[in-house]
Amino acid sequence: MTFQIWDFLAGLGIFLLGMHQMEAGLNEFSGKTFRRLLQKFTDTPIKGIISGTLVTALLQSSSLVTLMVLAFLGAGIIRFSHAAGVILGANLGTTVTAWLVYSLGFKVDIASFSLPLIGVGALLFILASRYFILKNLGSFLLGFGLLFFGIDLMKGSIESLAENFDFSLYADWGLVVFALIGLILTAIIQSSSATLVILLSAISSGILGLDQAAAATVGANIGTTVTVSLGALGGTPDKKRLASLHFLFNVVTGLIVLFFIPLII
């Protein structure tokens, strides 16, 4: 159980490079028709929330949706108010993943698509540089692949520590401590769904009680905002505002739920 510091730093660097590359591709590639279509489905808070919920439920990754929205915002394709609605919707859509994890034990591993995306994207970007659409499509695919390859590297660098985390050591501690455990664990492995699998396993084996697992789930919901915060590093003020909104929304709602966990259960 060791922490691979260089793998983690490489993953972080590749993640940020991918974010920059994806934004560059989107900024050049997105024409008026694409902008109008995207704005049409996100031009009110309700539309944004519904769109974010449905897309996240379909793609099975709130990180994917929020990072895409962050890239759209950074490229100037959508406004801050539109992006905020989609982010809030993604928080709802990601709960579908939780039910699938519970009922089917299934989670689409988007990171597994990163290498084909990097390969195809890089080839298009370099070999089709004379063709505007293909070049910028390649730039977007390359950035998209690098983004999740970076996340996968960061996850792998500390995976053994996360998977072998012994909750039983803290079984007699308060709910706030379990919320912090959920937050840290999710920030480390970059997946609230993976944290949920660990928590469900801990409940099944009798290591955790329902209230303790619920508190850790609240923490996981806050911890998942770390991915978006990383994506906003070095970005525009609007990207930083969006990341801050995502963080504050999850913290405030999480603290409210944490306070009422005994009553909810």
Side-chain angles (χ1 to χ4, degrees), residues 4-185:
Q4 304 294 330
I5 180 65
W6 293 117
D7 285 2
F8 181 83
L9 290 176
L12 179 60
I14 291 171
F15 173 90
L16 294 174
L17 177 63
M19 196 73 203
H20 178 269
Q21 190 74 25
M22 192 165 68
E23 274 185 26
L26 281 171
N27 194 38
E28 295 293 331
F29 182 66
S30 57
K32 292 182 179 179
T33 302
F34 177 71
R35 288 172 184 258
R36 282 198 299 265
L37 185 64
L38 186 63
Q39 289 165 359
K40 179 181 178 181
F41 288 100
T42 60
D43 59 0
T44 67
I46 295 298
K47 281 185 180 180
I49 290 171
I50 292 173
S51 298
T53 301
L54 293 177
V55 172
T56 305
L58 288 172
L59 297 181
Q60 293 295 297
S61 173
S62 59
S63 295
L64 168 60
V65 175
T66 52
L67 288 171
M68 287 283 288
V69 170
L70 206 63
F72 288 145
L73 181 64
I77 298 173
I78 58 175
R79 297 177 182 176
F80 175 81
S81 57
H82 301 169
V86 180
I87 289 288
L88 298 182
N91 276 311
L92 295 175
T94 194
T95 61
V96 174
T97 306
W99 283 104
L100 287 175
V101 169
Y102 165 72
S103 58
L104 304 176
F106 173 76
K107 174 74 169 73
V108 176
D109 183 12
I110 297 176
S112 66
F113 298 107
S114 61
L115 292 180
L117 287 171
I118 291 171
V120 173
L123 289 173
L124 284 175
F125 184 70
I126 295 171
L127 300 181
S129 58
R130 291 181 297 176
Y131 304 98
F132 177 81
I133 293 178
L134 290 178
K135 176 186 176 182
N136 289 293
L137 176 61
S139 177
F140 171 77
L141 293 177
L142 175 60
F144 191 64
L146 287 173
L147 195 84
F148 284 93
F149 183 63
I151 289 177
D152 199 43
L153 273 179
M154 286 188 284
K155 286 171 61 178
S157 68
I158 201 164
E159 198 169 51
S160 60
L161 285 176
E163 289 180 351
N164 293 282
F165 192 86
D166 189 1
F167 284 101
S168 63
L169 296 175
Y170 308 93
D172 297 325
W173 294 36
L175 296 185
V176 173
V177 171
F178 280 92
L180 290 173
I181 290 172
L183 189 159
I184 295 169
L185 196 58

